[in-house]
Amino acid sequence: MESPNPAESTAVESPIEMLLTAVSLIPISHYLLGFSFILIVSLYKFLEIHFLQDLFTGFRGQPVVLTFNPRSQLYRDVLSKCKILHGRYFSTPWLCSPHLQTTFIHYFGNPPAIGYRRQIFMTTDGGTLALDWVKNAQVKKQAFQVNDAVQKDDKNPIVIIVPGLTSASDSAYVKHLAFSMAKRGWNVVVSNHRGLGGVSITSDCFYNGGWTEDVRKVIDHLHCQHPEAPLYVVGTSIGANILIKYLAEEGTNAPVIGAAAICSPWDLLICDRFMNRKLIQRLYNKALTIGLKEYAHLHEDVLSRISNWEGIKKSRSVRDFDDSATRVLGNYETVDTYYRRCSSANFVGSVMIPLLCVSSLDDPICTREAIPWDECRLNANVVLATTEHGGHLPFFEGLTARTVWWVRAVDEFFDVLQSSPLSHRKKEMPVPSANPLESSIDQAPYVHVSEDGMVTGVSDEVPETGVEHQQNIEENRAGDEIHVKKRSRKDDLSEQPNIDQAMSDIVAPVMKCLNQLSHENRTSSWLLAYIAIMTTWPVVGSAVSVFFRKKFQGFFP
């Protein structure tokens, strides 16, 4: 038997050649299978799919987390009766990703069949707004209309919808909400932003994330036209940011019974940084920029004259567009100044009417990092409902994705609020008698925004409550003057001052406080007395012993 050649044995047994030989023996189908597995795992992580999580939980969904003030009247009368908000949200199984849901509602959305009746609303600065009223024969209870318009004495509640950025009444999520509220028998109107909904720009004013004048004028107009109808407002995305800022500026003067803010960005500066963090967020940023540039090209004749048109055409992000257009039109020094002053997180603590806020923790546009948890918890008029999934505005549920969860939640919240005592406190407010087309800047307090972002109200006019308070002060002042005159006459009659009366005036407030303290909590009074005796006994005891020693020293040897 011949021994093998050492050179040939070394060549055959080379590790690299053996590895290549082993790799070549693996079938191509195995490589395709492995590549497909890696691709699926990468897409699963990239699209943030949560199908396995839903599978392991038995497709029960996740509970809705509520943040509110448990001692508020809103919780006792309204929130405690909302079953949907105390339940769970389970997203559509084949849309088990925030990106799939957000994309689906933008291109498909399964919107219900709905029709609108358009009303053109002119503002005092020459702007034009399109108010689209729902007119659908499929609703259960149709509002009575004369000459294709709602009667002024109609007492059915009116729901005002404020869409999001570059959205209008034809958006799928707007139709879902409008159809649901109209099916209840309420009157629904969509307040389109300037330049949207097929309406041209007729003034040099454009809307932005902090522009509340259009919402204020529309609400004042509807309140004047329908004084007996309760008003409810729903804002979505950037419309929710505008709505919260408006409610904070108006305070108790807002003629609104309740409101809902859906997927608000809360902090525009944080969201701007979030949109540049990951690849998929940068894709959303690019898509939003394309929509803004299309909006700008529709009104090129106006924007090219009053903004940086070359910068608009070169914009590659929302921040670039805001720097070239929004900042210039809104007269802000920098983009960050615009973001800071218009963020609704700075205003939610001042909201004075019942407000439901809905946000998704996996929102791919409005990050969870911007949610003002503490501000919502401290305000007794705010309820924050957060879900683990839902995306940006879709919240589809069911196998067919025909229903939207937050639409059902808002519907129930408004229905319970309408039948609660909170819906009657606004009826005590006087109905404004001013012309609805008159600028509300001349009527409402002027909001001064300082450089640090703080908001203060300045007004030359005294409100009605202030007039009544001033009258009460004058009456009390007149009564005090009469009382002083009577006392002066008494002093003239007697030359010697009344020492007993003076002592009584000094001791009476002290005795009143002690009696009130004793009446409220006798245990605390005895405890305070015990502490007072024990702390003063060393000094008092020594004085008493010296006194008695001098007094009775003759009786003792």
Side-chain angles (χ1 to χ4, degrees):
M1 185 174 180
E2 296 180 359
S3 59
N5 190 354
E8 294 179 358
S9 177
T10 304
V12 173
E13 294 178 358
S14 175
I16 298 177
E17 292 184 0
M18 293 178 63
L19 180 61
L20 294 177
T21 303
V23 169
S24 62
L25 295 176
I26 299 176
I28 299 179
S29 59
H30 291 189
Y31 286 107
L32 295 177
L33 184 61
F35 178 76
S36 301
F37 178 78
I38 296 175
L39 180 61
I40 291 174
V41 172
S42 301
L43 289 177
Y44 190 92
K45 298 292 292 184
F46 182 75
L47 298 178
E48 301 178 35
I49 299 174
H50 47 82
F51 179 81
L52 295 178
Q53 179 184 359
D54 297 339
L55 178 62
F56 293 151
T57 57
F59 295 100
R60 296 174 56 247
Q62 288 75 33
V64 180
V65 179
L66 299 178
T67 303
F68 56 91
N69 192 329
R71 292 173 292 184
S72 65
Q73 185 180 0
L74 179 62
Y75 170 75
R76 296 192 306 268
D77 297 341
V78 181
L79 186 61
S80 60
K81 302 177 183 178
C82 296
K83 297 181 180 180
I84 297 177
L85 292 175
H86 286 86
R88 308 172 70 92
Y89 167 66
F90 171 60
S91 59
T92 302
W94 50 276
L95 291 175
C96 52
S97 165
H99 310 292
L100 295 178
Q101 287 220 31
T102 305
T103 305
F104 183 80
I105 199 172
H106 180 73
Y107 291 102
F108 305 99
N110 290 335
I114 195 171
Y116 293 106
R117 173 182 54 84
R118 172 151 294 186
Q119 175 188 358
I120 300 299
F121 180 77
M122 302 295 297
T123 60
T124 54
D125 60 287
T128 304
L129 303 178
L131 303 181
D132 291 336
W133 294 83
V134 174
K135 182 181 179 182
N136 197 331
Q138 298 181 12
V139 298
K140 183 166 53 178
K141 178 182 176 183
Q142 186 70 16
F144 181 73
Q145 297 182 357
V146 177
N147 296 329
D148 206 27
V150 180
Q151 276 189 327
K152 291 186 176 182
D153 57 349
D154 190 359
K155 297 183 179 181
N156 287 330
I158 298 177
V159 180
I160 306 169
I161 302 176
V162 184
L165 186 69
T166 67
S167 298
S169 57
D170 58 348
S171 299
Y173 65 89
V174 174
K175 290 184 177 180
H176 278 284
L177 176 62
F179 182 81
S180 177
M181 302 307 299
K183 192 175 181 180
R184 181 175 291 277
W186 293 11
N187 298 318
V188 182
V189 57
V190 182
S191 178
N192 296 284
H193 298 293
R194 298 190 180 205
L196 294 172
V199 178
S200 302
I201 294 293
T202 57
S203 69
D204 291 346
C205 292
F206 282 73
Y207 85 98
N208 56 55
W211 179 257
T212 59
E213 284 305 308
D214 289 347
V215 175
R216 180 177 292 106
K217 293 171 184 176
V218 169
I219 292 176
D220 292 342
H221 168 70
L222 295 177
H223 183 52
C224 291
Q225 293 295 320
H226 311 280
E228 298 296 328
L231 297 182
Y232 295 86
V233 190
V234 181
T236 58
S237 190
I238 202 68
N241 190 86
I242 297 173
L243 173 60
I244 296 173
K245 187 172 182 289
Y246 159 77
L247 295 177
E249 292 173 351
E250 291 296 309
T252 57
N253 296 325
V256 178
I257 301 299
I262 312 301
C263 294
S264 173
W266 293 114
D267 194 312
L268 300 178
L269 186 59
I270 294 179
C271 290
D272 172 65
R273 295 172 179 173
F274 174 74
M275 294 293 287
N276 297 305
R277 184 177 302 174
K278 297 180 180 179
L279 174 61
I280 194 164
Q281 268 71 43
R282 290 195 289 269
L283 295 177
Y284 281 108
N285 200 349
K286 186 67 175 179
L288 291 174
T289 306
I290 293 174
L292 289 172
K293 293 173 70 173
E294 291 177 353
Y295 167 78
H297 283 291
L298 291 175
H299 313 289
E300 180 179 355
D301 53 342
V302 180
L303 280 173
S304 60
R305 176 172 51 86
I306 59 178
S307 65
N308 183 7
W309 183 249
E310 294 297 327
I312 293 176
K313 292 191 297 183
K314 297 178 181 179
S315 298
R316 295 186 177 181
S317 64
V318 176
R319 184 182 182 88
D320 294 341
F321 183 88
D322 290 336
D323 187 33
S324 302
T326 310
R327 178 190 64 82
V328 178
L329 299 174
N331 196 21
Y332 294 100
E333 295 85 356
T334 63
V335 180
D336 287 351
T337 303
Y338 159 61
Y339 288 159
R340 289 193 179 97
R341 292 185 179 180
C342 297
S343 296
S344 57
N346 302 327
F347 300 90
V348 68
S350 302
V351 174
M352 301 301 293
I353 68 165
L355 173 65
L356 171 64
C357 303
V358 177
S359 295
S360 173
L361 299 183
D362 64 353
D363 194 319
I365 297 176
C366 303
T367 174
R368 61 191 298 177
E369 301 171 3
I371 299 177
W373 304 93
D374 293 338
E375 287 79 358
C376 295
R377 184 181 295 107
L378 291 176
N379 193 337
N381 302 305
V382 177
V383 176
L384 173 63
T386 55
T387 59
E388 188 173 350
H389 306 298
H392 186 69
L393 294 174
F395 289 84
F396 285 114
E397 57 184 358
L399 294 177
T400 59
R402 291 289 180 181
T403 58
V404 178
W405 176 84
W406 67 263
V407 171
R408 295 195 302 114
V410 171
D411 191 354
E412 182 188 43
F413 179 77
F414 283 172
D415 181 44
V416 177
L417 180 60
Q418 176 64 18
S419 59
S420 69
L422 292 176
S423 63
H424 303 291
R425 65 180 184 181
K426 288 296 180 183
K427 293 183 179 180
E428 301 176 358
M429 296 176 55
V431 179
S433 57
N435 186 359
L437 298 181
E438 186 178 355
S439 175
S440 59
I441 300 179
D442 300 331
Q443 302 172 13
Y446 171 72
V447 178
H448 172 69
V449 184
S450 59
E451 293 182 358
D452 55 355
M454 298 299 293
V455 181
T456 57
V458 182
S459 177
D460 296 330
E461 299 180 359
V462 180
E464 295 184 10
T465 56
V467 174
E468 295 177 358
H469 182 63
Q470 186 70 21
Q471 293 177 355
N472 295 333
I473 294 176
E474 293 177 357
E475 292 176 0
N476 295 335
R477 190 176 297 169
D480 293 340
E481 292 177 356
I482 295 174
H483 181 66
V484 171
K485 289 180 180 179
K486 289 182 179 180
R487 290 191 60 184
S488 62
R489 291 176 183 176
K490 227 184 248 188
D491 294 340
D492 293 340
L493 295 177
S494 59
E495 297 179 358
Q496 298 294 334
N498 194 343
I499 301 177
D500 296 336
Q501 182 66 29
M503 292 297 297
S504 177
D505 293 341
I506 296 174
V507 175
V510 179
M511 295 301 298
K512 182 179 179 181
C513 294
L514 291 177
N515 293 334
Q516 184 177 1
L517 179 61
S518 177
H519 178 72
E520 292 179 354
N521 196 338
R522 297 183 181 274
T523 305
S524 300
S525 300
W526 285 108
L527 182 60
L528 291 175
Y530 174 77
I531 295 174
I533 293 173
M534 295 302 296
T535 53
T536 58
W537 178 250
V539 179
V540 176
S542 301
V544 170
S545 62
V546 172
F547 173 78
F548 278 100
R549 187 178 301 172
K550 292 181 179 180
K551 189 74 174 176
F552 301 101
Q553 62 182 353
F555 294 93
F556 301 97

